[in-house]
Amino acid sequence: MADRSLEGMALPLEVRARLAELELELSEGDITQKGYEKKRSKLIGAYLPQPPTANGAAVVRCRLQPGEGAPRRMLRSGHIGACDVREAAGRARAASTAGNRPLFYFRFGVDQALPPERRAPVTPASSSRYHRRRSSGSRDERYRSDVHTEAVQAALAKHKERKMAVPMPSKRRSLVVQTSMDAYTPPDTSSGSEDEGSVQGDSQGTPTSSQGSINMEHWISQAIHGSTTSTTSSSSTQSGGSGAAHRLADVLAQTHIENHSAPPDVTTYTSEHSIQVERPQGSTTSRTAPKYGNAELMETGDGVPVSSRVSAKIQQLVNTLKRPKRPPLREFFVDDFEELLEVQQPDPNQPKPEGAQMLAMRGEQLGVVTNWPPSLEAALQRWGTISPKAPCLTTMDTNGKPLYILTYGKLWTRSMKVAYNILHKLGTKQEPMVRPGDRVALVFPNNDPAASMVAFYGCLLAEVVPVPIEVPLTRKDAGSQQIGFLLGSCGVTVALTSDACHKGLPKSPTGEIPQFKGWPKLLWFVTESKHLSKPPRDWFPHIKDANNDTAYIEYKTCKDGSVLGVTVTRIALLTHCQALTQACGYTEAETIVNVLDFKKDVGLWHGILTSVMNMMHVISIPYALMKVNPLSWIQKVCQYKAKVACVKSRDMHWALVAHRDQRDINLSSLRMLIVADGANPWSISSCDAFLNVFQSKGLRQEVICPCASSPEALTVAIRRPTDDSNQPPGRGVLSMQGLTYGVIRVDSEEKLSVLTVQDVGLVMPGAIMCSVKPDGAPQLCRTDEIGELCVCGAATGTSYYGLSGMTKNTFEVFPVTSSGAPISEYPFVRTGLLGFVGPGGLVFVVGKMDGLMVVSGRRHNADDIVATALAVEPMKFVYRGRIAVFSVTVLHDERIVIVAEQRPDSTEEDSFQWMSRVLQAIDSIHQVGVYCLALVPANTLPKTPLGGIHLSETKQLFLEGSLHPCNVLMCPHTCVTNLPKPRQKQPEIGPASVMVGNLVSGKRIAQASGRDLGQIEDNDQARKFLFLSEVLQWRAQTTPDHVLYTLLNCRGTIANSLTCVQLHKRAEKIAVMLMERGHLQDGDHVALVYPPGIDLIAAFYGCLYVGCVPITVRPPHPQNIATTLPTVKMIVEVSRSACLMTTQLICKLLRSREAAAAVDVRTWPPILDTDDLPKKRPAQIYKPSDPDTLAYLDFSVSTTGMLAGVKMSHAATSAFCRSIKLQCELYPSREVAICLDPYCGLGFVLWCLCSVYSGHQSILIPPSELETNPALWLLAVSQYRVRDTFCSYSVMELCTKGLGSQTESLKARGLDLSRVRTCVVVAEERPRIALTQSFSKLFKDLGLHPRAVSTSFGCRVNLAICLQVFKKLRHGMLKEKKQIELLEMKTAICEKKNTLDGVDGRRHDGTTRLENVFVIYPTQDFCQEYM
């Protein structure tokens, strides 16, 4: 539709752009033909009689730089792009290692300081790569990158104040606003240009101005024509995008940039000829908004520039599209936890790095040796032909005897045979299954390194890429599905294996190997010589120098369980072998003992690759032999006079355990003992212990050489063997608290909360190392700061196969200084190791990124937590090395979870004590709480192929609830400190909308609510007598002779009792004593140290009468004062008690010699003896002025040994008693038997408070009396015909063990439990299901109803969340009865609302998982404050 007469006119670019916009509006029906002609005539009318001018506009010169290797595009200001030049960069690094300068350089973005010949050219085809079709939603995603969205987000945030000339998404799409008009880059349209002249220049690469104008007319004209045929749908596909991509591919092909071994990107689907372009984040420059012809831009209320000449119809359409859409349904019931949770405030006293910025550490120069082979295949050829009988590899059987000796001649010939058969015997001649460059899997067992070595070098000779993996034993191995995903993404169709391994694979009834879960369909090819054809005499493998082709792919398991493939090029493989040879001082014919896995990591690099390069003899020790004889590797070192040994710290540890003063051990031949996991901070203990034991056997200190490595950076650092025995290895004693904040603080070894680390040597030859911040931009750390180690060199991995985005974040890192300047033009590789570079260039590693757990802003390493847990007597209760530590997200913060395998011979109580000590140790050393500690039966955790725990699979089982632990200890109150705030009334979306959203979506909130107190309590007692002291006075006046408490002794007779008036009068006397003898005032704290009985109750109400705050404290045990008295002293000091009340007997005990030996008796507060009370009455009984004032303090020592206190107000106390009264249906004629410790929690409330409030009679049975008479509690229940009773687990266990064989005699004595309606166990610990079931079964013959026994549900801050209620269920009321083993079904206590929240922080929609319980009490909180 464009007028051909315009082609000869030199119109300004803005005018042509406006014409193109008019054409698009006309094609989409936004304006009429008449309006189009009118506006068009106005635009070009002023230029018809005038000569064409550029009006100051720059003309785009599209050309190819003669010095550049590939066309690059000029990006608009504010956006930086880069071509995917990974292969070219690899060749540059390869050339640099050979002593030459790089062949070419690539710069990202546009540098105005560069000369014109260095700047990137502009091509419409390349610009079309950044065009995005309009999304169907309301977001404008035209400038969104597929690879790095965060780059665009950062750029937009940085230039947020700039007014962008981009209208809101509408039905029409302007060509002008998609283009940066200051740069005048041709806009990308829905149809590509059909003329390739726009990317062609003259012979000198500099087109003339007229040529540029003609090219502009072409792309504008083509854009107009293409827009007429494009669809108007917002989700339409770009019809000409592939054409532009084809033309760009042709241009790239003409520049001869080869990329044979570059892996494909499996994360995005592209056409065959499409080219991936990555856009890294970069700086932008400001600009001014353009003008379109004579029309100025004006801005709407939202800052969106629009043209002042836009029609009302179009403006109305834009305004309609700008209206907010109705939010999706899920937004109605998703809680805004970020606003509800407490924000963790940073510690103002936390240490901060103070040192100077570190400098990159450069390793020694990689020497050039004349006899080094040009490739590893050439080295194999040399030794296979020159020294064919030299031993290469010796394998051992499970008895420690040599099983097979592989010589270099056999390795050479068999590798050639494998290479020939792979290339020529799989498939047909016309269509072979495997071609050079394809990937094949290597599946060999750990006891057959010879076959794996032959297959590996056979792949290298055939130029096929081997992918060594573990043998799948079953179809559901841990992590097997992720391995299958890696094989599928690599395009593996053939798996090489041995004959024995092939026979051991699982097979179907037909004899075929089934397809493993998640695996691609594989052809299993046996590499034994008897199954292979002999290659012809004229066939010879093509051996060439090391290049940038992929040599092999090493798999890596990430923290989340995903498996990645790290590609290692042939030049990196050779350079790494050279660096190891120089660092370790390897020479020909040396013997090395290898205990490590030969398929990956240090075992592969030393035992398979570097050994062949130097014609070394490797003694391979299989893992099966190590399990039978942990000393086997030491014996082989002595037998073969080995110079080098590659082990892990676990091998050294088990060798120490199995060592029994063997006399024939001599380790003087060792010159280097490589510790592969030397990067583990806790390996230093194994190294020191091994040296102390075997130093007398000839082992020298300088022989132990820890190293640090990672799959991405290969060998990062290694300690060199030295001849100077006087030079001690480097080590540092670092503060654990400083490490949690990422800083280095030297501490003393005497403290427990320190970490002693050893150095892992110097940087590898030819490499550069630096440390960058783990979070955010890769900025250099300070000298006293912990960061992630990064390495720059030729001997590193190249990429994650098929994952270009992750590759860029890991293998293409450019560290910057504090000012933002890059330290090098070559990329660095992230190692995943956390550490620092110490004095003398020594490298120290303190942890790994995969094991990093950030809890409340502090960093903790999983290995440190494991080591602390193992330090607590691990051999008796759990298996060493069978502990998993990971973190789960709860309330938007990480929480630590520990899972260990329990030994079969350890009892439940022993394991629980060990778990409690582990929690105490972690809290004291690391200052962090453990969310969950679970013990599972032996051999139930998923394993790795070498016997370790599969961490990600264990975490997945924990999250799914499929772990099936036998013992669980959860302590959410010690680690979850950011509980939700009290809810505010939502202006728009409130709790009602949340509930509606759940109902509409079919989900059910796991919530239980108690009855409403206001609707049930109709009398005025709860409103008239708000305080317990008033309730007691009222009962003393109305029912003075009613018995409230009855105390029984060990013989079952009544030792003491209290009526309402007796308790009132005794409380008055105690109040007078506190005022006269103690000189106390209202608000003072008083510690009540009484045995379980009547005195404790009277002392409590005496404190309320005078306004003091009582604290009940368990008295010290007379026979164990040394351990029980310090707890009493701690509670008295923490509660700031001004006075201590007790009996005369305990008063003497507190001042005895035994007490003086345990604590300082001179620091006790005034002690008042209540055996001799005054006979006066107080002039006035204290009445609190505010119900929210403090009533009493509830202190207790948790199972982890921590002292916790809860403040209870008068209102909370009354509400608590009122709820229990209604829940348990307590009234004055009822009798309740209580056998509990009355010092804290629900036991104290039932013992001291409930009878006064509800008026029922409490039969008090001290638990200590059951030690003399175990049947006392049950006899009292039967004698007084009690229907409701409360006890503790210790009481129930004492009755079960002491009365197990006396049921018949008890029945003969008339013991009858048939009247018992509820028997509630009061505890804050885990439910002991086995005990309650045994108790019910044991006393079933005495009439105990099986449903009568239940467990109260409470915790430290919510003393009673649920209590058992006995109600007869009508027929048909319950359609389905569900039994939950962990907790029996109970009714929520009145007026409480319980909400279950998942461990992942999301709202729970069922009742089949362990959850966090949040309690809401609408009127008054049960727990006023948690101390």
Side-chain angles (χ1 to χ4, degrees), residues 230-297:
S230 62
T231 177
T232 60
S233 173
S234 62
S235 61
S236 61
T237 307
Q238 302 175 3
S239 59
S242 60
H246 280 300
R247 285 188 293 277
L248 181 59
D250 295 339
V251 175
L252 290 176
Q254 294 175 6
T255 58
H256 303 289
I257 292 184
E258 299 179 358
N259 193 9
H260 296 297
S261 61
D265 190 354
V266 299
T267 59
T268 55
Y269 176 77
T270 57
S271 61
E272 182 180 359
H273 299 282
S274 62
I275 299 175
Q276 293 293 327
V277 180
E278 298 178 354
R279 304 173 60 182
Q281 181 179 356
S283 60
T284 58
T285 57
S286 61
R287 61 171 183 172
T288 58
K291 295 182 179 180
Y292 301 143
N294 297 325
E296 297 182 356
L297 288 179

Side-chain angles (χ1 to χ4, degrees), residues 1048-1054 1235 1261-1277 1279 1290-1300 1302 1305-1306 1309 1311 1339:
L1048 302 182
N1049 55 20
C1050 61
R1051 295 185 299 273
T1053 59
I1054 298 177
C1235 189
I1261 307 169
S1264 57
E1265 303 292 349
L1266 268 70
E1267 298 178 0
T1268 307
N1269 185 8
L1272 173 62
W1273 170 50
L1274 296 180
L1275 289 174
V1277 170
Q1279 177 183 354
S1290 59
V1291 171
M1292 183 173 287
E1293 185 177 13
L1294 189 61
C1295 292
T1296 304
K1297 293 181 178 180
L1299 306 177
Q1302 304 179 19
S1305 60
L1306 292 175
R1309 293 169 59 181
L1311 182 62
F1339 297 103

Side-chain angles (χ1 to χ4, degrees), residues 1011-1018 1023 1215 1218-1219 1222 1390-1391 1417 1419:
R1011 293 175 292 177
D1012 189 3
L1013 290 178
Q1015 297 178 2
I1016 300 175
E1017 191 79 19
D1018 294 332
R1023 301 179 180 89
R1218 186 163 66 253
S1219 298
L1222 297 175
C1390 297
E1391 198 69 13
Y1417 185 64
T1419 56

Side-chain angles (χ1 to χ4, degrees), residues 1031-1032 1035-1036 1039-1047 1057-1064 1094 1097 1101 1228 1230 1232 1247-1260:
V1031 175
L1032 179 58
R1035 293 198 180 277
T1039 58
D1041 297 330
H1042 176 67
V1043 178
L1044 292 178
Y1045 296 99
T1046 301
L1047 180 66
S1057 63
L1058 274 181
T1059 62
C1060 296
V1061 67
Q1062 290 174 349
L1063 178 59
H1064 169 67
I1094 301 297
I1097 303 173
Y1101 286 98
R1230 294 282 302 276
V1232 178
W1247 190 283
C1248 297
L1249 308 183
C1250 285
S1251 286
V1252 173
Y1253 188 88
S1254 304
H1256 65 277
Q1257 180 182 357
S1258 294
I1259 301 174
L1260 307 179

Side-chain angles (χ1 to χ4, degrees), residues 411-490:
L411 176 61
W412 167 244
T413 56
R414 294 182 181 180
S415 299
M416 283 199 304
K417 184 181 292 187
V418 170
Y420 172 78
N421 283 266
I422 290 177
L423 296 177
H424 298 88
K425 295 301 179 180
L426 295 179
T428 62
K429 293 184 178 180
Q430 291 75 17
E431 294 183 1
M433 290 188 62
V434 180
R435 293 185 174 92
D438 291 347
R439 276 73 53 196
V440 296
L442 267 59
V443 186
F444 292 91
N446 294 318
N447 58 358
D448 195 0
S452 177
M453 190 175 190
V454 170
F456 188 92
Y457 279 98
C459 293
L460 293 183
L461 293 177
E463 300 183 29
V464 175
V465 180
V467 185
I469 60 173
E470 307 297 338
V471 178
L473 300 179
T474 62
R475 299 189 63 181
K476 295 182 179 180
D477 280 353
S480 175
Q481 187 173 359
Q482 297 295 332
I483 291 287
F485 174 77
L486 172 64
L487 298 180
S489 62
C490 293

Side-chain angles (χ1 to χ4, degrees), residues 175-368:
L175 291 177
V176 178
V177 298
Q178 297 181 28
T179 309
S180 176
M181 295 304 296
D182 58 344
Y184 297 104
T185 304
D188 192 8
T189 65
S190 60
S191 178
S193 173
E194 296 181 4
D195 187 4
E196 297 184 5
S198 60
V199 294
Q200 296 175 357
D202 57 4
S203 59
Q204 300 299 325
T206 308
T208 61
S209 177
S210 61
Q211 289 173 338
S213 301
I214 294 175
N215 290 337
M216 278 298 160
E217 293 179 6
H218 274 292
W219 66 256
I220 291 180
S221 176
Q222 295 298 331
I224 294 174
H225 283 288
S227 63
T228 60
T229 60
S230 62
T231 177
T232 60
S233 173
S234 62
S235 61
S236 61
T237 307
Q238 302 175 3
S239 59
S242 60
H246 280 300
R247 285 188 293 277
L248 181 59
D250 295 339
V251 175
L252 290 176
Q254 294 175 6
T255 58
H256 303 289
I257 292 184
E258 299 179 358
N259 193 9
H260 296 297
S261 61
D265 190 354
V266 299
T267 59
T268 55
Y269 176 77
T270 57
S271 61
E272 182 180 359
H273 299 282
S274 62
I275 299 175
Q276 293 293 327
V277 180
E278 298 178 354
R279 304 173 60 182
Q281 181 179 356
S283 60
T284 58
T285 57
S286 61
R287 61 171 183 172
T288 58
K291 295 182 179 180
Y292 301 143
N294 297 325
E296 297 182 356
L297 288 179
M298 67 177 183
E299 296 180 357
T300 63
D302 295 344
V304 180
V306 297
S307 176
S308 61
R309 300 193 179 187
V310 175
S311 62
K313 179 181 177 182
I314 299 175
Q315 187 63 44
Q316 182 181 4
L317 177 61
V318 173
N319 294 335
T320 302
L321 295 176
K322 284 167 56 179
R323 294 175 185 173
K325 290 187 177 182
R326 184 178 180 180
L329 179 63
R330 65 175 183 271
E331 294 187 6
F332 282 98
F333 58 89
V334 173
D335 286 332
D336 46 351
F337 277 105
E338 291 80 1
E339 299 178 3
L340 294 178
L341 299 180
E342 293 287 348
V343 179
Q344 294 287 338
Q345 299 296 332
D347 186 5
N349 299 324
Q350 71 180 31
K352 297 181 180 179
E354 302 172 354
Q357 191 174 71
M358 73 162 298
L359 300 177
M361 183 61 58
R362 185 183 299 271
E364 68 264 28
Q365 186 177 1
L366 182 61
V368 179

Side-chain angles (χ1 to χ4, degrees), residues 833-1143:
L833 303 176
L834 294 173
F836 60 96
V837 180
L842 297 179
V843 180
F844 292 85
V845 178
V846 298
K848 296 181 180 180
M849 290 293 294
D850 286 344
L852 190 64
M853 300 177 294
V854 182
V855 181
S856 300
R858 298 174 59 197
R859 305 172 187 171
H860 301 275
N861 197 274
D863 292 333
D864 299 344
I865 304 295
V866 171
T868 303
L870 289 177
V872 187
E873 299 178 345
M875 304 300 292
K876 298 180 181 179
F877 309 104
V878 298
Y879 290 99
R880 182 182 180 93
R882 303 292 296 163
I883 298 181
V885 175
F886 52 87
S887 62
V888 295
T889 302
V890 179
L891 295 182
H892 297 272
D893 199 0
E894 293 188 44
R895 317 294 177 186
I896 299 177
V897 177
I898 303 176
V899 181
E901 288 188 355
Q902 178 180 339
R903 289 185 176 272
D905 53 349
S906 59
T907 63
E908 180 181 0
E909 292 301 323
D910 293 340
S911 298
F912 184 73
Q913 293 178 5
W914 178 81
M915 296 162 72
S916 302
R917 290 196 295 268
V918 168
L919 296 185
Q920 295 179 27
I922 293 177
D923 179 73
S924 60
I925 294 177
H926 303 275
Q927 288 85 42
V928 65
V930 176
Y931 179 73
C932 177
L933 176 54
L935 297 182
V936 298
N939 296 322
T940 57
L941 292 180
K943 298 181 180 180
T944 59
L946 291 182
I949 288 183
H950 201 286
L951 192 62
S952 59
E953 291 286 335
T954 304
K955 179 178 179 180
Q956 188 63 28
L957 291 178
F958 176 82
L959 295 177
E960 294 175 354
S962 304
L963 201 58
H964 304 301
C966 54
N967 287 299
V968 178
L969 182 57
M970 299 191 70
C971 303
H973 60 280
T974 62
C975 57
V976 181
T977 57
N978 59 334
L979 291 176
K981 305 175 185 177
R983 286 187 176 273
Q984 305 292 333
K985 185 177 181 180
Q986 302 294 333
E988 296 179 357
I989 302 176
S993 300
V994 173
M995 185 61 66
V996 170
N998 281 279
L999 296 177
V1000 173
S1001 62
K1003 294 185 178 181
R1004 178 172 62 89
I1005 293 293
Q1007 176 174 318
S1009 300
R1011 293 175 292 177
D1012 189 3
L1013 290 178
Q1015 297 178 2
I1016 300 175
E1017 191 79 19
D1018 294 332
N1019 57 358
D1020 296 331
Q1021 176 182 348
R1023 301 179 180 89
K1024 184 177 180 180
F1025 305 111
L1026 186 60
F1027 307 106
L1028 282 177
S1029 57
E1030 294 181 343
V1031 175
L1032 179 58
Q1033 297 174 49
W1034 174 73
R1035 293 198 180 277
Q1037 294 175 2
T1038 57
T1039 58
D1041 297 330
H1042 176 67
V1043 178
L1044 292 178
Y1045 296 99
T1046 301
L1047 180 66
L1048 302 182
N1049 55 20
C1050 61
R1051 295 185 299 273
T1053 59
I1054 298 177
N1056 199 351
S1057 63
L1058 274 181
T1059 62
C1060 296
V1061 67
Q1062 290 174 349
L1063 178 59
H1064 169 67
K1065 291 182 178 180
R1066 191 165 183 179
E1068 286 182 332
K1069 296 178 181 180
I1070 293 177
V1072 172
M1073 186 185 67
L1074 288 174
M1075 289 186 296
E1076 294 182 353
R1077 299 181 186 177
H1079 306 288
L1080 301 181
Q1081 300 177 356
D1082 58 305
D1084 290 341
H1085 295 184
V1086 179
L1088 309 181
V1089 186
Y1090 289 93
I1094 301 297
D1095 295 336
L1096 176 65
I1097 303 173
F1100 178 83
Y1101 286 98
C1103 292
L1104 295 185
Y1105 276 11
V1106 79
C1108 295
V1109 180
I1111 302 103
T1112 56
V1113 184
R1114 185 191 304 271
H1117 199 283
Q1119 299 177 358
N1120 194 9
I1121 295 180
T1123 57
T1124 57
L1125 188 59
T1127 304
V1128 178
K1129 186 65 179 299
M1130 180 173 56
I1131 296 178
V1132 172
E1133 292 178 350
V1134 172
S1135 62
R1136 298 185 179 90
S1137 298
C1139 178
L1140 190 149
M1141 283 201 306
T1142 184
T1143 62

